[in-house]
Amino acid sequence: MSLDPSAPSGCPLESSPVPIYEVSSAERARLWADLRSRYGQIAPIRLEPDLTAWLLLGYEENLEVLRDWATYSRDTRRWNEIRDGRRKLGSGLRPTMAYRSSALYADGAEHARLIAPIADALAQVPEARVRRDITEIADHLIDAFCERGEADLVRDYTTPLPALLVNRLFGLGDVYGHALGHLSASLWASDGTVGAEAVARMRDYFVGLVQRKRVRPGDDLPSRMMAHEAALSDAEMADQLIVLAGAGHEPTANLLGNVLRALLADSRIGRDHASGGLLLDEVIDHVAWSEPPLQMLAARFPTRDVEIDGTLVAEGEPLIIGFAAAHADPRLGAGAVPAESALPPGHNSAHLMWGVGTHRCPAQSLALRIVRVGVERLLERLPGVRLAVPAEELRWREELFVRGLVSLPVRFPAVEAPPRSPAADEDDAEGGYAEVDGGEEPVDLLGRVLRWWRGVRAASTAE
Ligand code: HEM
């Protein structure tokens, strides 16, 4: 796709939005540069054939919008098309542009009320237990492929690891984690229908979970959130948990995958890290700048008409946060965004990957822990792991919002897996919650999602 300089004039959001969904993921860096040279730091785009928005390209502009929640609301109900009845919140919207009664979509005092149980519950998760759980899950996943001498790390490792961990935080056994991982990945799909179905199934999953925890609280995230003085209703709890799962799984899986890609595909980074000359945290920051797991983020809605880099944005017009574009902002100066294969000039963690302001990610240390332990465990268990294809053949997924690989094929000298205890096998089969299929209403919703997932898995194995 090339930009059309003869496009009609007038409000660019109405007359000449650029259909960025037509640009392949391999062309994204060029797209940001093209948009910037034509429009400046904010560009009119189409996210879908009938969905127009402004994309923020500049680092400072993104920072300003993220910081000022009073002028730039997170509440999708302020979208001018929703307000004017031209679009419905409930139908056909990709989940990232939708609305739920959770902290993510709330402003001001309402946001403070909804985020407090999440932040407090996350802060109470014992560090040592998380580390043990991540290590255990990583080992279990590696055991499943280490004797083969080859694997697709995206399918076999980076995708299931955060899903299983988040699910354990929710107090359920691993078997549910696979179903949850499938659902939370679908939340980011470009296809609104896939996303809407995922949200509906996740709602079943979490309503079932909340009902279960009300009756039998445990030492887990949802139970701690429910015990919080904010006294969230069951519906609010389910919406918070959908956000936790959606925000927790896909970005973490992609950061883990993108860091492994940097270590395996870039010989200088891999060699310097192996020799101790480059810390893993430096590699993570490098990847956060160059391949952030969220390239874009929806959305902010101005509460009044505003001017951004000389462009007038009307109240309620959607602004999309552009992390990847902001990180490539030439005004940051040469070297701020190191080119692939060039190491960062220092430990530069001023990237926007975790967000900024009141909605800044409350689980940064948890996500970093998953990535650090995930990388360390893999390299420790599989010395000699290397790419199975030339680095140029690795392909990025075509989604607009997330940046992650289609697959990461590797080879390594095969190693024997340690014997598994019968207890672990049993837990894997039923997640330690064999009674879920028992038919009682509170548990049956969870059972229904599990049955659906088993159908999906059986169909994909049969293909
Ligand atoms: C590499 C992994 C992760 C990245 C890059 C990431 C990034 C972000 C970003 C950019 C936001 C801000 C959203 C906004 O401003 O609209 C955010 C919010 C959030 N994240 Fe994360 N996140 C990650 C992992 C996690 C994990 C593991 C969890 C929990 C299990 C989590 C839970 C949340 C929640 C609940 C919010 C909403 C906060 C609010 O609205 O106040 N994230 N995350």
Side-chain angles (χ1 to χ4, degrees), residues 55-71:
L55 175 62
L56 292 162
L57 298 158
Y59 182 91
E60 278 304 324
E61 289 71 14
N62 275 285
L63 204 58
E64 172 64 18
V65 168
L66 286 168
R67 269 188 187 141
D68 183 356
W69 64 264
T71 310

Side-chain angles (χ1 to χ4, degrees), residues 247-272:
H249 173 240
E250 186 73 8
T252 315
N254 288 329
L255 182 61
L256 178 57
N258 297 354
V259 168
L260 283 170
R261 170 186 167 273
L263 288 165
L264 296 170
D266 187 315
S267 54
R268 278 181 61 193
I269 292 182
R271 197 184 51 227
D272 282 10

